[in-house]
Amino acid sequence: MCGIVGYIGAKEKKEILLDGLQELEYRGYDSAGIAIIEGEKLSNFKAIGKLENLRHKTEAYHSEGFGISIGHTRWATHGKPTELNAHPHLGAYSYVVHNGIIENYQELKEELQADGVTFLSQTDTETIVHVFEKFNNQINNPFEAFEKTIEKLHGAYATLLITEAAPDTIFFAKNGSPMLIGFDGEDVYFASSDTPIIGKANEVYYLEDGEYGFVKEGKVFLFNAEGKKSFTKQALTADKVSAQKDGYRFFMEKEIYEQSYVMTETMMGRVHDDSILFDELDENFFDGISAIKICACGTSYHSALASAYLFERLAKVRCDVEIASEFRYKEPLLTKDTLFITISQSGETADTLEALKMAKRAGLRSLSICNVDNSSIVRESDAAILTRAGIEKGVASTKAFATQTMVLWMLALYVGQEKKTLASDILKTEVAAMLKTPKSLVVEEKLHAQLTRMSKRYLHGHGFFFIGRDIFFPLALEGALKLKEISYFHAEGYPAGEMKHGPIALADSTLFTIALMPKSMHYDKIKSNVEELSARDATILAISPEPFELADDFIQTKYDSHPMLEYFEMMVVTQLLALEISVRLGNDVDMPRNLAKSVTVE
Ligand code: M6R
């Protein structure tokens, strides 16, 4: 959610900033901006919409010689996506970029306005630059002014500030939103994740919450509440696995097609003929654990919900799942025999990260399942299992969800194996099915073409219900979320057996029901539920290996012997359906409106 870059050095700054922002654009694309100070020369550009608009605006500009520079790509939180609300925000002689939310900005703003300060934007961020200048005008010491400024801020932030009062220095602070510093000799980079600086910097330091400081003449001066502190840099990979579309129309499409391959990566070295191994977990990791609690948001929450069935059914361990934003404020009762699992594609989701911190404060052992190594959630957890999905650029998550589900399935088997609650013949059957998963995820041209044709019949109506039972209920939730995110149609996931308890009142010919009807799990039950809907004239798209005569549309799946194989195969169908509906509607598939890839605000 929003992206920050910064650079101090003698290289051409505009290109460094724009290239960095390009890598972060999927995190927010309401507007973008850069500010550069070179000696006496100050340049600032902003543009609403995609980064290409900013590129266009800065075509004639080139930076020369030593300078300091900051850039930002925005996902609007306070104030509309306008140029005035775009970062960097300007004071009288300083610029600031910020990710996160300043919770007390209203109070700060009122104080400043009482002093005669005029605000140009509706953002919380603008208060930072004015508070800074207020202090600096009083004490004429930019670092002390910056230090006093961040003391005043409540909430989550990662921020960079440059000022004509110190034209050779970048000031930085991090609390609750990610930020790192990259190094290449005298050149110093900042970014809110490592992708913008891979290939530029060779070493990195991931800032911790509460750290702040400044960079001058290639040196970083780092502080926290205890005062000045030293830090250790770590090597940064030089491998830029920059996600390209490789001939696909959209990143999301490419990522759907990649699922088969990445699943093999996810299993590599972990799935053996009659056992599951996780090098990441030491052998005593589950000692004393008799329950599991999982917290996550959005799609990650759906993978968690599916896994709760597996933990209880396969590992015989009690498992409950909570939406992280709800968990945070419910004053949950936590006991130390509970393993606290967080699931996150990005590893930066604010609500999930805060839930994890709460669990840690309560003394719970923690495990994260994440796609991004070194992310905040991974670093905060006692142990982490990486999903190995590779960079996911489509805002609507696909392969990250698939690999999360796979890791959770493996983990359920692993827990059963370690606790000896899972019979070895069941383990073998599960592993045999698991090894077939990559095949179940292969997208066949014929299926894709069928869904492309079918999608034209689903461009109207008053809503979609995705229905399923057992693990297919969370899959229904996920199918509905995918469609909602990129088509902007109203879609809901429902447990099929619940329809008759209210939602069936909506049934008519323009209520589209996507029925997940696996053969290997409760087929007759869901069939009756779908028949009830069909009797009320709902339009039914059935997805099943078993032909279903009441279906208005039918997708015949191939797997019928193991629920997880049916699950993954049906998942692909729902993803492609959402994709093709979105394409027909002319929507931006990879960067749907109002969304961002990484939600680092609460
Ligand atoms: O990075 P996370 O997995 O923690 O993100 C959680 C949700 O924000 C995310 O899954 C969101 O729902 C996606 N847009 C789903 O497509």
Side-chain angles (χ1 to χ4, degrees), residues 448-555:
H448 196 161
Q450 188 186 0
L451 284 159
T452 307
R453 274 195 314 278
M454 201 178 271
S455 59
K456 63 176 170 290
R457 296 201 278 278
Y458 295 93
L459 306 178
H460 63 291
H462 62 85
F464 288 76
F465 269 100
F466 285 68
I467 59 169
R469 299 182 80 115
D470 203 283
I471 52 170
F472 294 85
F473 160 51
L475 184 60
L477 289 173
E478 176 57 13
L481 179 65
K482 231 50 334 150
L483 182 66
K484 182 153 44 186
E485 284 186 300
I486 59 174
S487 73
Y488 319 141
F489 281 134
H490 180 73
E492 263 187 86
Y494 237 81
E498 271 292 296
M499 291 299 283
K500 57 185 170 296
H501 297 290
I504 204 166
L506 298 177
D508 66 18
S509 62
T510 58
L511 176 81
F512 300 131
T513 301
I514 317 296
L516 306 177
M517 305 173 69
K519 194 71 185 72
S520 58
M521 188 167 251
H522 314 313
Y523 180 78
D524 291 333
K525 301 278 175 212
I526 181 134
K527 187 165 171 258
S528 315
N529 301 141
V530 182
E531 280 163 359
E532 286 152 14
L533 279 154
S534 174
R536 272 101 190 152
D537 209 24
T539 296
I540 311 287
L541 162 54
I543 306 172
S544 179
E546 184 78 10
F548 179 58
E549 58 183 17
L550 296 178
D552 297 277
D553 271 320
F554 181 62
I555 297 287

Side-chain angles (χ1 to χ4, degrees), residues 296-301 343-350 352 377 392 394-398 400 404 478 481-482 485 595-599:
C297 304
T299 285
S300 299
Y301 169 71
I343 306 174
S344 174
Q345 185 284 130
S346 62
E348 302 295 350
T349 302
T352 311
I377 288 176
E392 186 180 68
V395 165
S397 180
T398 51
Q404 285 167 350
E478 176 57 13
L481 179 65
K482 231 50 334 150
E485 284 186 300
L595 301 181
K597 186 70 187 163
S598 167
V599 185

Side-chain angles (χ1 to χ4, degrees), residues 11-29:
K11 294 199 176 110
E12 213 291 314
K13 281 156 278 301
K14 179 188 82 174
E15 288 307 325
I16 290 176
L17 295 178
L18 292 180
D19 288 355
L21 292 178
Q22 190 79 58
E23 295 291 341
L24 298 173
E25 193 185 15
Y26 66 105
R27 288 172 171 256
Y29 34 84

